[in-house]
Amino acid sequence: NAGVTQTPKFQVLKTGQSMTLQCAQDMNHEYMSWYRQDPGMGLRLIHYSVGAGITDQGEVPNGYNVSRSTTEDFPLRLLSAAPSQTSVYFCASSRGRSSGANVLTFGAGSRLTVL
Amino acid sequence: AQTVTQSQPEMSVQEAETVTLSCTYDTSESDYYLFWYKQPPSRQMILVIRQEAYKQQNATENRFSVNFQKAAKSFSLKISDSQLGDAAMYFCAYFPGDNNDMRFGAGTRLTVKP
């Protein structure tokens, strides 16, 4: 089925380790983004991309890197994991930003625990 | 920065009854978009309803409708004939368009009692 695929669904890391959360969409969406969800805080934007080769920071970018080499893929890299990065991460995509195109399709989420 | 406030951390409703979830937002923009997303225990985020600020008519999707008050910056969600499957976290979101972020509220957990 078409949609946004995130891997892995669960991951446990030790403080200081690095890892990459993968995100792929097969809907030819231009806009992709990463959010983190923490209890009582809703979803907060980490990084986003408006097209291949273009990325920008969101509300909480520190400790994370992204790249967008293809339209389909938007990986999120944790450079040196910290316990404060324990969260549920969501990747989302949309056709664009304009009216009719800006409805986000979300992946199933990735639960990350940093010990 | 634009903020979205959901003042009800938890709500409950009897099956078949009606419930209204509140959302307010802060913005200086005149044109923007508002959304309600549902997150059931499966964790999947699902779009419930969408409203464009330039449209005065309130959006409706089957049992879900909104009360959009632009001057008051209020965007409440009404769920009619509540069903057990409506139990979920509900997030209000604001999006100004162009090169800006979508902002989410903290969420309201809705319980549906049989």
Side-chain angles (χ1 to χ4, degrees):
Chain A
N1 290 336
V4 178
T5 303
Q6 286 182 237
T7 56
K9 286 187 168 47
F10 301 93
Q11 183 71 50
V12 178
L13 289 178
K14 294 181 179 178
T15 297
Q17 287 184 318
S18 63
M19 77 155 298
T20 299
L21 296 175
Q22 302 290 346
C23 176
Q25 53 89 11
D26 57 3
M27 298 171 284
N28 202 31
H29 283 178
E30 287 298 318
Y31 179 79
M32 296 186 75
S33 53
W34 276 102
Y35 291 86
R36 60 177 288 173
Q37 181 180 14
D38 302 293
M41 302 188 74
L43 279 76
R44 292 181 292 168
L45 185 68
I46 304 171
H47 285 286
Y48 66 97
S49 170
V50 298
I54 306 170
T55 64
D56 206 347
Q57 296 181 352
E59 183 183 0
V60 289
N62 292 341
Y64 307 95
N65 266 0
V66 292
S67 60
R68 184 97 180 267
S69 57
T70 66
T71 299
E72 295 78 18
D73 300 300
F74 191 46
L76 178 72
R77 297 181 185 84
L78 279 71
L79 309 174
S80 177
S84 60
Q85 293 179 303
T86 293
S87 187
V88 178
Y89 292 84
F90 286 94
C91 181
S93 72
S94 69
R95 285 191 290 115
R97 303 271 205 156
S98 61
S99 177
N102 55 24
V103 174
L104 289 174
T105 298
F106 284 85
S110 299
R111 181 177 293 277
L112 174 67
T113 301
V114 183
L115 303 175
Chain B
Q2 295 88 359
T3 58
V4 179
T5 302
Q6 294 180 246
S7 58
Q8 306 152 318
E10 296 183 354
M11 291 284 285
S12 67
V13 63
Q14 207 71 34
E15 194 175 7
E17 297 295 311
T18 296
V19 64
T20 298
L21 308 184
S22 301
C23 174
T24 59
Y25 55 94
D26 180 30
T27 184
S28 58
E29 303 289 336
S30 59
D31 196 16
Y32 47 86
Y33 307 89
L34 296 163
F35 303 83
W36 279 98
Y37 280 90
K38 170 185 176 181
Q39 186 181 44
S42 67
R43 204 168 67 192
Q44 182 70 49
M45 293 286 286
I46 303 164
L47 177 70
V48 175
I49 201 163
R50 173 178 176 273
Q51 174 82 40
E52 294 159 327
Y54 67 84
K55 290 185 177 179
Q56 293 185 347
Q57 187 173 5
N58 289 326
T60 299
E61 288 287 342
N62 299 317
R63 297 181 295 107
F64 299 87
S65 61
V66 299
N67 182 6
F68 173 49
Q69 301 290 329
K70 190 172 184 178
K73 298 178 184 175
S74 171
F75 183 59
S76 60
L77 175 70
K78 185 172 82 170
I79 306 174
S80 304
D81 186 24
S82 297
Q83 301 176 359
L84 295 178
D86 295 333
M89 281 288 287
Y90 287 82
F91 293 97
C92 177
Y94 162 89
F95 181 57
D98 296 325
N99 292 321
N100 285 288
D101 307 344
M102 181 171 286
R103 297 283 175 154
F104 286 81
T108 296
R109 182 173 300 282
L110 177 67
T111 302
V112 181
K113 298 178 180 178

